[in-house]
Amino acid sequence: MRVELICIGTELLTGKVNTNIGYIGERLNSIGLDLSLVTTVKDTIDEIEDAFRKAMSRSDIVISTGGLGPTFDDLTREAVAKVLGRTMALNREAFSEMMQFFIKRNWEMSKNNERQAYIIEGAKILKNSLGTAPGQLIEVEKKSAKGKSGNKILILLPGPPREMQHMFEEQAFSYLREYETLIKRKLTLHICGLSESAVDEKIRPIVEAERKLEKEAVEFGILAHQMLIDIKISVSGKDELLIDETLNTLKKEFYDVLGENILGEDKQTLESVTGELLAKSKKTLSLAESCTGGLVAHRITNIPGSSLYFKQGFVTYSNDSKVKVLGVSQEVLQEFGAVSEQTALQMAQGALELAKTDYALSLTGIAGPSGGTPQKPVGLVYIGLAGPNIKEVYKYQLGGNRIEVRERAANIALDVLRRKLVQNAKEAARK
Amino acid sequence: MRVELICIGTELLTGKVNTNIGYIGERLNSIGLDLSLVTTVKDTIDEIEDAFRKAMSRSDIVISTGGLGPTFDDLTREAVAKVLGRTMALNREAFSEMMQFFIKRNWEMSKNNERQAYIIEGAKILKNSLGTAPGQLIEVEKKSAKGKSGNKILILLPGPPREMQHMFEEQAFSYLREYETLIKRKLTLHICGLSESAVDEKIRPIVEAERKLEKEAVEFGILAHQMLIDIKISVSGKDELLIDETLNTLKKEFYDVLGENILGEDKQTLESVTGELLAKSKKTLSLAESCTGGLVAHRITNIPGSSLYFKQGFVTYSNDSKVKVLGVSQEVLQEFGAVSEQTALQMAQGALELAKTDYALSLTGIAGPSGGTPQKPVGLVYIGLAGPNIKEVYKYQLGGNRIEVRERAANIALDVLRRKLVQNAKEAARK
């Protein structure tokens, strides 16, 4: 079964990031289907037609995202109808569903929304409970005697990720599961505190030993991103037990060489893992951020239920607020500056006392692009940690632009806290 | 000149977002070159080879990103050498540049970095000043009598966006400019406060009138994202004066129908525009965030130089911190709750008084997924604004998941402030 994806939208070729490819790829992987190729095209009828024509000539399943909206540049419906030589008609059911969507929200339905209820001859409607554009599923060739294997399948999904994902999960995925042929298990290990090359060197013996075995199909990948390294392992085959065993053995071997540098697996993130550790040990956290300007607080509070352990954050961007709110001393600021070990420590201690939490994390640094000096260049960041018998400061010289320095500093700060919480949990267990 | 892009990386098919397509597409557009097709492939040598073979058979310029790293799954060099039937050799210059990169940073160079200095026969090295992987530029066919037109061009760039962008700007872009054929001007207008359909209805007469004229090639696009709507206009042709005139006329017409709903153009964002308005009027801002947990502060401080006007943010996630730090009254919390008009107002006033800024913005709401009630459902958000003679609260019922509610609330809050600053600037000008 060859699967292709066509992503439709001029915006995807001129600036907007596309999260749909990764989402669909990952979900297909989970049932042993691979995205062989992804084509991204702009919103012109000729390009869209051509992409569908080519994809249908070489693949069994063609999925598309985008171009189902109400506006003049939403052309997927028209293009596919032309390629298939089929007509389109206003579907009363789809139209009334759409009206319901507007009535429920007390929104006015605009004339051009009507276009969205045009359905290609023979298509199955995929309901969109989160938006106005219904999707369409079309089986193109006649069924052969052996069932569906003679068909080509076309699935048209909307572009907005939330609508696409919901429709995919509720309606397309169960349909595609019928084509599941291969069992595939995947595991991603997230690492912080080592370079990409260092991780590669540590795991290379494992990877090479596995390659020599050639039993199950095992694939490895390494990916570095803002001080985080991901190791991706996938094992596929026909024998579920053997696959699980292989993956578990590899996982154990990776943990043996990487230990606590592994912060989590799969969907886990620094903020989710840190949050879990805080929740499990019934500890609370406050933050004092300068250079990261609220990014760490934002990430921590992205996690549902974070109010359980996260109490308060201070974004003390001005020196004045560091003094007045957090109680950093004027003398320290004058003698050592706002970006210093001493200030980082006083910020963390100030937050700890004010918020009465168990831990407080602070960040102060020079995110750039300006503000650097030869003594304190752009990328210099101090991270302070205060807590029960803890008064620690870490100094880093980070690379990258303003956005990257801030992201990297946030990652390191969360990792500093994570390692401390892991260590404390171990000590508590020992007692 | 047909241009294709090949993005190499299994991670791009299984979860990681790809910002390189948009970046390269946008830069090519600026010199009248269009990305005709983007193919995204995984890190296996067969897939990469096949993608290059196909792309080279149908396009004049093939650009690739990714697969130039030091690890076992970085295979672009090998694949291209095979497709071209050329050898590879360790390039001493590239190798010594790489060593310098490690020496400068006092990092240890790992054995496998050596692979990155292997250069394809006849390739021009593209230096990587931000990373270790050099790029390669290869002209494939012999030059014809008419100059370069007989050549196919292959440009191999690294995958990490920062390295790719820097190399593209410094070395690939000037090379590609020689192929500039068409003049193209683009304009994006950002809108907040109207729905996608409402924007479409307002601008449709302009779009349709323009279509009837058929003078210059004009393209329009509309894109909605978390309460923001982008209108993209592009005009291309041979006559620069006519192009500029067409774009300026369209721009004026769009401003006439959309007015202050247009928050900015092109690279402007809500945070950059709001920051400029604050800086221009010499006003300062503080923030009191609950449901957005630092997101607004993070976005404002993403802007270089924001310390000029942004003084302080409070992430008062717990009720306790709302009372103790911001001075929200216990009575108000008990009678109306943390998510209420009254709390939003007291939060803004508390921040204003504590930080002594000209304006203070507050956000309190229910981001979900839990915590909603029939009276106060998930997505309910109050935004407070305090300032000189200003005490305002806005109530919104937002759709979407936790992340989306937070993003949408942040956008609306910034837009509330922006509209107030625009209004104040107008009143000041009138006096």
Side-chain angles (χ1 to χ4, degrees):
Chain A
M1 283 309 238
R2 191 183 150 93
V3 191
E4 278 194 44
L5 175 64
I6 302 173
C7 297
I8 295 141
T10 304
E11 74 279 6
L12 302 173
L13 294 168
T14 54
K16 179 142 168 69
V17 297
N18 187 350
T19 58
N20 290 340
I21 298 176
Y23 186 87
I24 292 172
E26 208 160 21
R27 294 300 284 142
L28 291 174
N29 279 179
S30 74
I31 49 172
L33 292 171
D34 251 341
L35 266 186
S36 294
L37 192 94
V38 180
T39 312
T40 310
V41 291
K42 60 179 185 172
D43 291 312
T44 56
I45 189 105
D46 295 344
E47 293 283 351
I48 302 171
E49 270 186 58
D50 198 48
F52 274 100
R53 212 163 266 135
K54 287 206 174 106
M56 290 191 62
S57 75
R58 62 193 171 201
S59 287
D60 308 296
I61 300 173
V62 178
I63 303 172
S64 74
T65 61
L68 300 178
T71 67
F72 53 82
D73 60 356
D74 292 306
L75 299 164
T76 303
R77 284 175 297 264
E78 286 81 348
V80 172
K82 269 180 84 178
V83 168
L84 299 179
R86 297 193 187 182
T87 58
M88 281 202 297
L90 183 72
N91 183 288
R92 284 176 54 200
E93 191 193 339
F95 190 60
S96 104
E97 289 265 356
M98 199 188 303
M99 280 177 74
Q100 284 301 317
F101 180 91
F102 283 92
I103 289 163
K104 251 193 210 163
R105 282 158 184 80
N106 208 8
W107 289 351
E108 214 174 314
M109 181 161 157
S110 139
K111 178 86 182 78
N112 45 24
N113 281 105
E114 197 181 294
R115 297 186 60 215
Q116 300 184 285
Y118 272 79
I119 302 296
I120 296 163
E121 193 187 343
K124 182 174 174 291
I125 296 169
L126 304 177
K127 286 184 188 175
N128 187 344
S129 47
L130 301 178
T132 57
Q136 308 195 28
L137 190 151
I138 307 159
E139 294 183 356
V140 174
E141 286 167 23
K142 289 271 167 280
K143 285 188 188 187
S144 77
K146 286 177 195 161
K148 275 183 180 162
S149 63
N151 278 350
K152 297 224 169 187
I153 297 142
L154 254 173
I155 301 176
L156 316 183
L157 301 170
R162 201 168 65 99
E163 296 175 28
M164 185 284 290
Q165 287 173 21
H166 196 261
M167 190 181 289
F168 186 86
E169 293 303 328
E170 299 279 304
Q171 298 167 86
F173 192 68
S174 57
Y175 182 89
L176 290 171
R177 286 207 79 138
E178 293 182 27
Y179 297 92
E180 183 166 0
T181 49
L182 206 67
I183 301 157
K184 195 160 189 170
R185 294 284 177 276
K186 292 172 65 174
L187 177 69
T188 303
L189 302 176
H190 307 293
I191 289 132
C192 196
L194 292 175
S195 74
E196 187 179 5
S197 290
V199 171
D200 189 34
E201 268 187 27
K202 277 182 194 294
I203 69 168
R204 191 173 274 259
I206 304 171
V207 170
E208 281 172 2
E210 183 57 40
R211 291 243 160 108
K212 276 178 201 138
L213 286 176
E214 281 186 29
K215 34 177 200 183
E216 295 296 298
V218 181
E219 282 180 74
F220 297 98
I222 298 188
L223 188 70
H225 180 68
Q226 313 295 25
M227 317 300 284
L228 299 175
I229 314 284
D230 287 351
I231 302 177
K232 303 215 170 205
I233 313 162
S234 92
V235 187
S236 56
K238 300 270 180 192
D239 183 340
E240 194 165 359
L241 273 175
L242 197 59
I243 289 169
D244 286 344
E245 196 192 298
T246 306
L247 193 59
N248 283 333
T249 307
L250 284 169
K251 178 172 158 176
K252 203 196 151 295
E253 289 172 353
F254 282 120
Y255 269 88
D256 285 346
V257 294
L258 292 164
E260 277 172 22
N261 294 304
I262 298 176
L263 68 96
E265 299 173 8
D266 295 331
K267 295 282 172 208
Q268 288 185 308
T269 59
L270 270 169
E271 48 269 37
S272 76
V273 168
T274 309
E276 276 166 38
L277 287 165
L278 284 166
K280 216 179 287 172
S281 57
K282 295 200 170 64
K283 301 293 183 193
T284 55
L285 175 69
S286 58
L287 291 169
E289 298 182 68
S290 185
C291 60
T292 43
L295 172 58
V296 180
H298 166 55
R299 285 179 52 182
I300 286 177
T301 59
N302 263 342
I303 308 298
S306 46
S307 59
L308 197 67
Y309 46 84
F310 178 67
K311 296 301 163 192
Q312 199 171 347
F314 300 91
V315 183
T316 49
Y317 221 54
S318 64
N319 275 354
D320 199 48
S321 66
K322 290 183 184 75
V323 173
K324 284 200 189 138
V325 177
L326 294 177
V328 174
S329 79
Q330 285 284 10
E331 294 70 40
V332 157
L333 282 179
Q334 265 155 26
E335 194 176 340
F336 304 103
V339 179
S340 65
E341 196 185 308
Q342 292 80 359
T343 300
L345 205 56
Q346 290 200 351
M347 284 172 68
Q349 288 179 308
L352 192 79
E353 282 161 31
L354 256 167
K356 304 217 184 327
T357 49
D358 298 300
Y359 296 96
L361 205 50
S362 70
L363 298 98
T364 180
I366 300 157
S370 62
T373 64
Q375 288 75 38
K376 295 186 177 181
V378 168
L380 177 67
V381 174
Y382 289 91
I383 292 166
L385 178 63
N389 303 317
I390 300 166
K391 267 192 194 184
E392 292 171 10
V393 185
Y394 301 83
K395 179 185 175 181
Y396 290 89
Q397 182 59 50
L398 304 173
N401 61 25
R402 180 179 180 86
I403 306 289
E404 288 170 316
V405 166
R406 284 155 56 96
E407 271 191 43
R408 290 169 187 190
N411 281 336
I412 293 171
L414 287 166
D415 198 49
V416 159
L417 177 62
R418 177 188 70 87
R419 286 173 187 262
K420 181 60 70 183
L421 292 168
V422 168
Q423 188 188 316
N424 286 357
K426 275 194 185 164
E427 274 168 24
R430 227 175 279 143
K431 277 172 198 167
Chain B
M1 284 309 245
R2 192 181 150 95
V3 191
E4 277 195 44
L5 175 64
I6 301 172
C7 297
I8 295 142
T10 304
E11 74 278 7
L12 303 173
L13 294 169
T14 54
K16 177 142 169 72
V17 297
N18 186 350
T19 58
N20 290 339
I21 299 177
Y23 186 88
I24 291 173
E26 208 161 21
R27 294 299 285 144
L28 291 175
N29 278 179
S30 74
I31 48 172
L33 292 171
D34 253 339
L35 266 186
S36 294
L37 192 94
V38 180
T39 312
T40 309
V41 291
K42 60 179 183 170
D43 292 312
T44 57
I45 189 106
D46 295 344
E47 292 283 352
I48 303 172
E49 270 186 59
D50 199 48
F52 274 100
R53 212 164 266 134
K54 286 206 176 105
M56 289 191 63
S57 75
R58 62 193 170 201
S59 288
D60 307 296
I61 300 173
V62 178
I63 303 172
S64 75
T65 61
L68 300 179
T71 68
F72 53 84
D73 60 356
D74 291 304
L75 299 163
T76 303
R77 284 175 296 262
E78 287 79 349
V80 173
K82 269 180 84 177
V83 169
L84 299 180
R86 296 192 187 183
T87 59
M88 279 202 298
L90 183 73
N91 183 288
R92 284 175 55 200
E93 192 192 340
F95 190 61
S96 102
E97 290 264 355
M98 199 188 302
M99 283 177 71
Q100 284 301 316
F101 179 90
F102 283 91
I103 289 163
K104 252 193 209 164
R105 282 158 183 79
N106 209 8
W107 290 351
E108 213 174 313
M109 182 162 158
S110 138
K111 178 85 183 79
N112 46 23
N113 282 106
E114 197 181 295
R115 297 185 62 214
Q116 300 185 283
Y118 273 79
I119 301 297
I120 296 164
E121 193 188 341
K124 182 174 175 291
I125 297 169
L126 303 176
K127 287 184 185 173
N128 187 343
S129 46
L130 301 177
T132 56
Q136 307 196 29
L137 189 153
I138 307 159
E139 295 184 356
V140 175
E141 286 169 25
K142 288 274 166 278
K143 287 187 186 186
S144 77
K146 284 175 195 163
K148 276 183 180 162
S149 62
N151 278 349
K152 296 224 171 187
I153 297 143
L154 255 174
I155 301 175
L156 316 182
L157 301 171
R162 203 171 63 100
E163 296 175 29
M164 185 284 290
Q165 287 172 20
H166 196 261
M167 191 182 289
F168 186 85
E169 294 303 328
E170 300 279 305
Q171 298 168 83
F173 192 68
S174 57
Y175 182 88
L176 290 170
R177 284 209 80 138
E178 292 183 27
Y179 297 91
E180 183 167 0
T181 47
L182 207 66
I183 301 156
K184 195 160 189 169
R185 294 283 178 275
K186 293 171 64 173
L187 177 69
T188 304
L189 301 176
H190 307 294
I191 289 132
C192 196
L194 292 175
S195 74
E196 188 179 5
S197 290
V199 171
D200 188 33
E201 268 187 28
K202 278 183 194 290
I203 68 168
R204 192 173 273 261
I206 303 171
V207 170
E208 281 173 2
E210 182 58 39
R211 291 243 160 110
K212 276 179 201 138
L213 284 177
E214 282 186 29
K215 34 176 200 182
E216 294 297 298
V218 180
E219 284 180 73
F220 296 98
I222 298 188
L223 188 70
H225 180 68
Q226 313 296 23
M227 317 299 283
L228 299 175
I229 314 284
D230 287 350
I231 302 177
K232 303 215 170 206
I233 314 161
S234 91
V235 186
S236 55
K238 300 272 179 190
D239 183 339
E240 194 165 359
L241 273 175
L242 197 59
I243 289 169
D244 286 345
E245 196 193 299
T246 306
L247 193 60
N248 282 332
T249 307
L250 285 169
K251 177 172 158 177
K252 201 193 154 297
E253 288 171 351
F254 281 120
Y255 269 90
D256 285 347
V257 294
L258 293 164
E260 275 171 24
N261 293 305
I262 299 176
L263 69 97
E265 301 173 8
D266 295 330
K267 295 283 171 206
Q268 289 184 309
T269 59
L270 270 169
E271 47 270 37
S272 76
V273 168
T274 309
E276 275 167 39
L277 287 165
L278 285 166
K280 214 180 288 174
S281 58
K282 295 200 169 62
K283 301 291 183 196
T284 55
L285 175 70
S286 57
L287 291 168
E289 297 181 68
S290 185
C291 60
T292 44
L295 173 57
V296 180
H298 167 55
R299 284 179 53 180
I300 285 177
T301 58
N302 264 341
I303 307 297
S306 46
S307 59
L308 197 68
Y309 46 83
F310 178 67
K311 297 302 164 193
Q312 199 169 348
F314 300 91
V315 183
T316 49
Y317 220 54
S318 64
N319 275 354
D320 199 49
S321 65
K322 289 183 184 76
V323 173
K324 284 201 190 137
V325 176
L326 294 178
V328 174
S329 78
Q330 286 284 9
E331 294 71 38
V332 156
L333 282 178
Q334 265 155 29
E335 194 175 341
F336 305 102
V339 179
S340 66
E341 194 183 310
Q342 292 78 0
T343 299
L345 205 58
Q346 290 199 351
M347 283 172 68
Q349 287 178 310
L352 193 79
E353 281 161 31
L354 255 167
K356 305 216 183 331
T357 49
D358 298 300
Y359 297 95
L361 206 49
S362 70
L363 298 99
T364 180
I366 300 158
S370 63
T373 65
Q375 289 74 40
K376 294 185 178 181
V378 168
L380 177 67
V381 175
Y382 289 92
I383 291 166
L385 178 64
N389 303 315
I390 302 166
K391 269 192 195 183
E392 293 172 9
V393 185
Y394 300 83
K395 180 184 176 181
Y396 290 88
Q397 183 59 50
L398 304 173
N401 61 24
R402 180 179 178 88
I403 306 289
E404 288 170 316
V405 166
R406 285 156 55 97
E407 270 191 45
R408 289 168 188 190
N411 280 336
I412 293 171
L414 286 167
D415 197 50
V416 159
L417 177 62
R418 177 188 71 87
R419 286 173 188 261
K420 181 61 70 183
L421 291 168
V422 168
Q423 189 189 318
N424 286 356
K426 274 194 186 163
E427 273 167 25
R430 227 176 279 142
K431 276 171 197 168

